[in-house]
Amino acid sequence: MTTQGGSVLERVRGLVREVAKFGAVGGLGVLVNLGVFNLIRHTTDLQVVRASVIATVVAIATNYLGFRYYAYRDRAQSGRTREMALFAGFSAIGLVIENGVLYTATYGFGWDGPLASNVFKFIGIGTATVFRFWSYRTWVFKALPPVAPPAGGAGKPVTDPAPALRPERRPEPRPEPEPANN
């Protein structure tokens, strides 16, 4: 069974690779996020959610670099300003989701000990990650359209990394036949 982007198996394998790369960058982001969060919590008197917001912003900056230059390096790179604005916007929504969980646990239920703060920070990160994965792959780092296989050859479509750089081919005009003299 094939679809427009290749066989179902190829699409699933591609999604698995994408999730693995996203997870690698996200895993580093989680370490940065929790590390900065705990550093701030243990060295300052800053409130828990404020410390979390600062840590999240640091992790977002780290993640952008990882996503652009590792996980989604093969995706369209035109419109960097648009890409960064969308990334910042969706990251801000993720920040609200992530820290909303922590805020609810801390101020809604009074669970504000060091262990509880880390557990709910981690739960918030996980919840926001689902949203971020969907939004980044759908809106920020868009996949390039597949290129048709070469004429006469069977093969799978290949993603063209630079369609704007591909020269346009036009058929050469054919000379008109000369009239026959009888």
Side-chain angles (χ1 to χ4, degrees):
M1 178 175 178
T2 60
T3 61
Q4 185 178 359
S7 73
V8 172
L9 184 58
E10 288 170 347
R11 293 183 74 195
V12 168
R13 285 181 181 155
L15 183 61
V16 167
R17 280 191 300 274
E18 182 180 350
V19 168
K21 287 181 177 181
F22 187 91
V25 172
L28 177 62
V30 168
L31 292 176
V32 168
N33 198 333
L34 291 173
V36 171
F37 173 67
N38 283 296
L39 180 69
I40 292 171
R41 288 280 291 152
H42 293 24
T43 60
T44 70
D45 291 332
L46 207 57
Q47 295 175 345
V48 67
V49 176
R50 289 184 183 169
S52 179
V53 168
I54 292 168
T56 303
V57 169
V58 172
I60 287 169
T62 303
N63 285 350
Y64 177 77
L65 296 173
F67 290 136
R68 169 41 54 215
Y69 297 107
Y70 174 66
Y72 295 115
R73 69 177 175 251
D74 61 335
R75 300 288 177 100
Q77 293 191 25
S78 61
R80 189 62 58 99
T81 303
R82 176 190 165 279
E83 174 183 287
M84 290 179 81
L86 286 172
F87 185 84
F90 288 119
S91 294
I93 294 169
L95 181 145
V96 170
I97 293 169
E98 175 183 328
N99 291 293
V101 170
L102 183 61
Y103 180 89
T104 302
T106 303
Y107 299 111
F109 296 105
W111 299 325
D112 61 352
L115 179 61
S117 293
N118 278 287
V119 166
F120 287 103
K121 173 91 171 140
F122 191 76
I123 291 170
I125 290 170
T127 305
T129 295
V130 173
F131 168 77
R132 287 179 176 129
F133 178 73
W134 169 80
S135 63
Y136 293 167
R137 78 182 304 260
T138 304
W139 299 101
V140 181
F141 303 107
K142 289 184 173 184
L144 293 168
V147 175
K156 60 182 179 183
V158 179
T159 302
D160 188 350
L165 301 177
R166 187 176 56 243
E168 186 175 325
R169 292 187 177 206
R170 293 187 178 150
E172 293 183 23
R174 295 182 181 185
E176 293 190 25
E178 294 182 25
N181 290 337
N182 289 3

